[in-house]
Amino acid sequence: MLKAMIIAGCGGFLGTCLRFLTGKFYSVVGLTAFPWGTFTVNLVGSFIIGIFFGLAEKTQLISPSMNAFLITGFCGGFTTFSSFSHDMLSLADSKSWLYFSLYVVLSFALGLLLVWLGRSLIKTV
């Protein structure tokens, strides 16, 4: 398990560095107030995780170590939105519409609520 954690951590380091550089690129370009860096990594990360999962399912080319490095590590460090998107697709594929709906609505609603709550708690301190 420690080996898998180190492998995932190395992938996460690379994904996080790429996410950081993507954000810096858009801050230098300075297009608009729209969060282009986050938007880009969320969409690109979703596409990349789709490719990795597709390879893992269709060709068996991705070993457990490569899964830890590429999917858990790299994609997780680059954007957790990619994992969120894959989870939604898996629930839709299995026609688990109640869980799909709960997952989507609660993730967005509670995520926003908890970010607001965390920020509000710090503002009052």
Side-chain angles (χ1 to χ4, degrees):
M1 180 149 119
L2 181 59
K3 180 182 174 184
M5 286 175 31
I6 292 170
I7 290 169
C10 290
F13 172 77
L14 293 175
T16 299
C17 289
L18 188 56
R19 178 188 181 115
F20 175 81
L21 291 173
T22 302
K24 288 297 175 194
F25 169 77
Y26 282 109
S27 70
V28 168
V29 173
L31 296 175
T32 64
F34 188 81
W36 284 106
T38 302
F39 183 72
T40 300
V41 297
N42 285 343
L43 295 181
V44 170
S46 295
F47 180 67
I48 291 171
I49 204 170
I51 289 172
F52 291 155
F53 270 111
L55 285 171
E57 293 167 352
K58 185 174 182 180
T59 65
Q60 314 298 310
L61 286 177
I62 296 183
S63 68
S65 291
M66 288 303 291
N67 186 315
F69 181 82
L70 294 171
I71 296 172
T72 304
F74 180 80
C75 288
F78 190 56
T79 172
T80 57
F81 188 80
S82 59
S83 296
F84 175 65
S85 298
H86 179 264
D87 291 343
M88 287 187 299
L89 182 62
S90 294
L91 290 169
D93 284 346
S94 66
K95 300 193 184 338
S96 300
W97 301 116
L98 175 62
Y99 289 138
F100 174 87
S101 299
L102 286 171
Y103 187 56
V104 171
V105 171
L106 292 175
S107 291
F108 281 110
L110 293 176
L112 286 170
L113 175 67
L114 290 170
V115 168
W116 172 83
L117 180 61
R119 289 178 71 178
S120 297
L121 286 173
I122 296 303
K123 284 181 183 179
T124 61
V125 176

